[in-house]
Amino acid sequence: MTADAPRPPAPAHRLPLRWRVMDRIEAVAAALWPAAFRRATPWAFLAPALLLVGILLIGLGYVISDSLHELNPATYRLREEYSLGNYAAFLDRPVYLLVLWRSLLAAVLVTAITLVFAFPYAYVMVRTRSGALRKLLLVSLFLPFFIGQVVRAYGWLIILGKQGLINQALEGLGLPAATLIYTYPAVIFGLVQYMLPFAVLMLAPALTAIHEEVELASESLGADWLRTFRHIVIPMAKPGLVGASVVVFTLTLTDFAMPEILGGGTNDFIASTIYDMFFQLSNPGLASALAAVLVAVGSLIVALVFRVAGTGTLGLRSGS
Amino acid sequence: MTPMVELDNVTRRFGDTAAVREASARLERGEFLTILGPSGCGKTTLLRMIAGFDRPSAGRILINGQAIDAVPPFRRSIGMVFQRLALFPHMTAAENVAYPLKMRRFDPAEIPERVERYLELVRLKGFGSRRPHEMSGGQQQRVAIARALSFSPDLLLLDEPLSALDRKLREEMQLEFRRIQQELGVTTINVTHDQREALVMSDRVVVMDAGRIQQADTPAAVYRQPSNRFVASFIGMTTVFPGMVAEAPEGIGEIIVGDVRLPARLPAGGLAPGTAVDCGLRAEQVRVVAPGAPRPETTIGGLVERRIFEGDRLVYEVRVPPLGNLTLMVFDHDPATHAEHEVGARVLLGWNARDLFVFPKETTENATRQETGPAS
């Protein structure tokens, strides 16, 4: 019980139970966290996030530091002295650049294809008047989430594999079997399927924020459906589009499981190469250098996107 | 001359319920018509059908004598100002106004001049480069109306655009909308639940309730000669009470309420003596008669039960024992008599016989009775 405020006079009638409980809770909270601490409250809530980012930054520091030491093949330890040898090796061996290029191209392709599919999906989900359809779309969206990326990739193997459902069907029709897995398109396909829910979930709030009246207004002003879409819906959905692009792009760029399983080792992304470098070839120096390059390239591209689209697209409106 | 808009028995059903029932009305060129009614009365559904966002389940809508059911909104020549204005936030005011011109393929050379002209019409000269979020509520209203008019549509629709404004700005914009409408002579349909707005702005008012048009008439006629109980009680503050016809000559007859006979204006066509009726008396048409002042046609004594101060007027609730202890609402606008009557005081109330409305008692059938067509 705090002593700083005089107790209010007892009311003539008893207050509702819920009020009395809330009063108790407030009294306890005031005892535990006095008014003098109030100014610190926002910082206290921020602390876990700051801690997490801080730890990540420390880890990144270690990675960069490791990348500056070459492996000593004699001892399988990193040498003491600093050098840029790992970065030279990265630039020297075309395979690393190829893997990076393959990852970047996939990220761009997957982002573009996913947005094309996600936009109409999110639009219908937000705009439909049928509650049943909206529920169906939402459940279809979340169900794959519960399954996980690896299991889903294996699911695709069952369907697309050499003895998979599709090839069995082709065989039944007397057609030659097709190579549907362990190809680049198979990896792209799996990634698009994996990213779709993320993109839809990023787009849905942005589309919800566009009031239907705005579209009706555009129609009444003389724009047909297509032109309304082009001149009104897409520009107004820009925050969602930018957000979804950044999320899909970075998740694809750093993806490990899909290229590993649906690429079958023939279409490794940079994450797989980093993994192999750490755990197969036991070269943490070169692995760290590759990781540092990946972080730098990814950050650069995201920074570029925000630079062009403006951070205002994320709802962070700057002064002007 | 063909009317600009003609509604021909328009009905819109949603499942089992009819949002609009057999609405018929005509709108002449240059006319400003307001559809007035409580929320859910079907007025917005009617407007959406005229705009082309919805289709009638039965009946026809004609614009310029042409049935337009199959014409999509973007091919209709209708400008609309929406409830939430629906300005395009990613465009400047000028780009908003230019949008319909671009979509309707106006000569590009003509567009800047038109944008300039319509921004000037709504008194926003020099504001063209601002975005909607950089403008005040009133300025946004003006952009919305300039955008709806810049392509010279045949018809302007207003879907309660003023309802979100505070009272002072709303009253200012009512006059502003009317000025612009008269300056351009554009045929306009306004939808509102605000009776004051309907009376102030319109050439003609259509009162709707429960999907039906209850009365279509000039503002003065809707106010002075309501055609049924709903219209009488929706417009103004009206006390409605039961009575019975005593004598029914042409014009002023007599009705029995409680223990007394009151002279009253009976509806055209007359009612047989003994008919049960609903009577309506507007608070603003009942006066507290000062001693020695000239007496109106009907006077009756009562007791003040409540007194509410509203600034420009006092509202009394007065119990009138001879009328079966009926409580009448009375507005007193006369500053000289303010605060004179305490609760419990005896007062003399008075009104003129023609201000006592009488309607046949409404059965379920004629409760949804329909009155259509323009005033004769």
Side-chain angles (χ1 to χ4, degrees), chain A:
Chain A
M1 193 57 65
T2 48
D4 50 12
R7 283 179 63 87
H13 54 90
R14 283 176 70 79
L15 294 170
L17 177 66
R18 202 166 358 141
W19 292 17
R20 279 182 285 140
V21 170
M22 289 309 287
D23 284 349
R24 279 280 156 195
I25 292 173
E26 271 189 28
V28 171
L32 292 176
W33 190 257
F37 291 1
R38 291 263 165 81
R39 287 169 56 98
T41 308
W43 293 104
F45 278 107
L46 207 53
L50 290 177
L51 204 65
L52 186 69
V53 172
I55 290 169
L56 276 173
L57 280 178
I58 291 168
L60 193 63
Y62 275 107
V63 167
I64 290 171
S65 154
D66 276 0
S67 75
L68 294 172
H69 299 282
E70 274 186 276
L71 186 76
N72 182 345
T75 60
Y76 262 86
R77 285 170 183 263
L78 295 182
R79 293 182 208 276
E80 285 295 316
E81 63 272 21
Y82 285 92
S83 87
L84 289 170
N86 290 322
Y87 292 96
F90 164 73
L91 292 172
D92 210 35
R93 299 272 309 278
V95 61
Y96 299 130
L97 282 172
L98 174 71
V99 167
L100 181 63
W101 164 245
R102 190 189 283 147
S103 310
L104 277 171
L105 180 68
V108 171
L109 285 175
V110 169
T111 304
I113 299 169
T114 305
L115 286 184
V116 168
F117 284 109
F119 202 90
Y121 194 106
Y123 186 82
V124 172
M125 197 172 80
V126 167
R127 282 283 187 262
T128 179
R129 285 182 209 287
S130 150
L133 179 61
R134 183 176 297 115
K135 268 188 207 123
L136 178 77
L137 290 174
L138 266 174
V139 169
S140 318
L141 195 66
F142 276 107
L143 217 54
F145 258 157
F146 300 139
I147 300 169
Q149 201 187 357
V150 174
V151 178
R152 255 194 287 170
Y154 275 112
W156 285 118
L157 280 187
I158 294 169
I159 295 168
L160 303 175
K162 295 238 183 320
Q163 304 293 319
L165 294 176
I166 289 183
N167 273 329
Q168 279 177 16
L170 287 175
E171 206 178 323
L173 293 169
L175 294 168
T179 306
L180 299 171
I181 48 160
Y182 305 147
T183 62
Y184 196 55
V187 177
I188 300 289
F189 175 80
L191 281 167
V192 166
Q193 194 259 344
Y194 176 62
M195 297 300 169
L196 199 64
F198 294 103
V200 173
L201 288 179
M202 296 290 291
L203 284 171
L207 290 173
T208 310
I210 305 173
H211 196 270
E212 202 183 357
E213 267 193 3
V214 177
E215 286 173 47
L216 296 182
S218 168
E219 274 191 65
S220 79
L221 294 170
D224 58 17
W225 178 85
L226 201 67
R227 294 212 279 172
T228 297
F229 220 72
R230 200 179 114 210
H231 294 290
I232 306 300
V233 179
I234 292 191
M236 284 181 73
K238 204 173 92 176
L241 285 168
V242 172
S245 305
V246 166
V247 165
V248 174
F249 183 87
T250 48
L251 284 180
T252 305
L253 187 63
T254 57
D255 198 68
F256 176 75
M258 280 294 166
E260 195 69 15
I261 297 166
L262 288 179
T266 64
N267 281 284
D268 278 359
F269 282 16
I270 191 151
S272 316
T273 309
I274 294 170
Y275 178 89
D276 290 345
M277 198 55 67
F278 262 116
F279 298 106
Q280 311 289 329
L281 303 174
S282 301
N283 187 345
L286 187 50
S288 297
L290 290 176
V293 169
L294 176 61
V295 169
V297 169
S299 309
L300 206 70
I301 290 170
V302 170
L304 204 70
V305 168
F306 283 148
R307 180 86 208 173
V308 172
T311 45
T313 56
L314 290 185
L316 313 165
R317 202 167 275 293
S318 51
S320 66

